[in-house]
Amino acid sequence: MWGALLRRGARGAGGLRRLVSGGPPWSQVVSEAEKIVGYPTSFMSLRCLLSDELSNIAMQVRKLVGTKHPLLDTARQRSLAEITELIHTAFLVHRGIVNIGELKSCDGPLKDMRFGNKMAVLSGDFLLANACTSLAQLQNTKVVELISSAIGDLVQGIYYENSKSSEENCLTDDIGISTWKEQVFLSHSALLAKSCQAAMELAKHSAEIQDMAFQYGKHMSMSHKLHSDLQPFVKEGSSDTMAFSLNSAPAVLHQEFLGREAWIKQIREAQGKGNIMDYKKLQEAIKAGKGVTSAIDLCRCHGNRALAALERFPPSEARAALANIIYAVTRFP
């Protein structure tokens, strides 16, 4: 999509509306974006990978290697997108590893869990190795540096997510929203932001344009994470209470307004017998404070910053699709 956005060059242009209310639903946005890039944006299926049609295309593209055929530029944009998704999928698989020490007898046979962990590690490593091999084949040292650093950011961010507070029996981290944003950038935003920048590098655009792409990817993914964190507090039409992380954005902001001691007290009060958390009670406490509305404001703030970066590109269907992604992730009931 970035290639389609920049085929006419990069010029300043207005026309994007600021975020006041919600935009189109996510499914519609994805469908429209897929029409522009010409193929589904979700991870390629095994059936697709093994199809004769795709194999023939791959053979023809390989014949172009070493030439200056313009089709190669399009193939390298698409290749970078698939590398990014491979890396993202690899880390999702790794995150599926189960903490054996926290398992109970009712969770199932221990040997099955251990086998599942081994498969998760091997599968994730396999995907990551394939991504790195494809990355080297792009033959661009700056792109390799960008994506490699994004992988390092992911590892560091996931380490922060899984590290526990030194305080005994503590269920939530003692962090402010600025620290939360730093950690989310590492674990969620860095890969997309640097992939957007790398796409501009492959297209041989200036450092300024590369930075605009980076800023779009960064702030769009921050908005997406905030939108995801807010769902248990804003989703309508569901009678069941959704479990949520005590380190999600609304909870972190709620703690900032309330104070650490009062927040820990609310958590303890929501714990029942056997330390089972009453998420409904805790959810109501957070909704009664300023955490939810502040998280919505922050989501739209990052959305507006992403739109500001996008305004540096010329009007096109691709730019409109990228803007619609922002409108979708800042859409609340």
Side-chain angles (χ1 to χ4, degrees), residues 15-155:
L16 295 177
R17 57 190 172 91
R18 284 290 176 265
L19 299 171
V20 178
S21 58
W26 179 255
S27 58
Q28 179 184 336
V29 169
V30 172
S31 177
E32 290 173 354
E34 287 178 346
K35 291 177 183 177
I36 294 173
V37 298
Y39 63 96
T41 56
S42 58
F43 188 71
M44 298 177 71
S45 66
L46 185 61
R47 179 181 178 184
C48 180
L49 288 171
L50 297 177
S51 69
D52 291 336
E53 181 183 359
L54 194 68
S55 298
N56 289 333
I57 293 172
M59 288 292 291
Q60 298 304 318
V61 170
R62 286 193 191 101
K63 292 178 182 178
L64 297 175
V65 174
T67 72
K68 295 183 178 180
H69 197 286
L71 179 60
L72 275 183
D73 289 335
T74 302
R76 295 169 75 209
Q77 290 279 351
R78 179 164 179 172
S79 180
L80 177 61
E82 291 171 356
I83 288 168
T84 301
E85 194 160 5
L86 268 175
I87 295 170
H88 176 66
T89 304
F91 277 89
L92 287 179
V93 172
H94 278 159
R95 285 183 176 185
I97 295 174
V98 175
N99 187 342
I100 300 294
E102 295 180 354
L103 292 178
K104 300 176 182 178
S105 58
C106 60
D107 293 324
L110 193 61
K111 63 177 182 178
D112 290 346
M113 297 298 180
R114 286 175 175 162
F115 177 77
N117 277 356
K118 290 179 182 179
M119 291 305 297
V121 171
L122 291 172
S123 300
D125 289 350
F126 174 78
L127 293 175
L128 195 56
N130 275 271
C132 291
T133 301
S134 299
L135 184 61
Q137 291 172 351
L138 292 178
Q139 298 181 346
N140 185 301
T141 54
K142 184 173 180 180
V143 170
V144 172
E145 180 184 352
L146 282 168
I147 303 303
S148 298
S149 66
I151 293 173
D153 291 336
L154 269 170
V155 173

Side-chain angles (χ1 to χ4, degrees), residues 91 95 151-165 173 183 186-188:
F91 277 89
R95 285 183 176 185
I151 293 173
D153 291 336
L154 269 170
V155 173
Q156 187 177 355
I158 293 172
Y159 170 79
Y160 284 146
E161 282 185 355
N162 293 327
S163 62
K164 299 292 185 181
S165 174
D173 294 335
Q183 295 181 5
L186 292 173
S187 60
H188 290 82

Side-chain angles (χ1 to χ4, degrees), residues 153-219:
D153 291 336
L154 269 170
V155 173
Q156 187 177 355
I158 293 172
Y159 170 79
Y160 284 146
E161 282 185 355
N162 293 327
S163 62
K164 299 292 185 181
S165 174
S166 59
E167 184 180 340
E168 186 178 0
N169 298 324
C170 188
L171 297 172
T172 179
D173 294 335
D174 185 10
I175 60 173
I177 195 62
S178 59
T179 303
W180 179 90
K181 287 196 286 186
E182 291 173 5
Q183 295 181 5
V184 167
F185 172 77
L186 292 173
S187 60
H188 290 82
S189 302
L191 179 60
L192 181 60
K194 292 182 179 181
S195 295
C196 290
Q197 181 180 351
M200 298 298 95
E201 165 63 23
L202 283 178
K204 298 180 175 61
H205 284 283
S206 67
E208 180 185 3
I209 296 304
Q210 290 182 33
D211 182 62
M212 290 300 102
F214 176 92
Q215 295 300 326
Y216 172 84
K218 172 185 175 180
H219 292 294

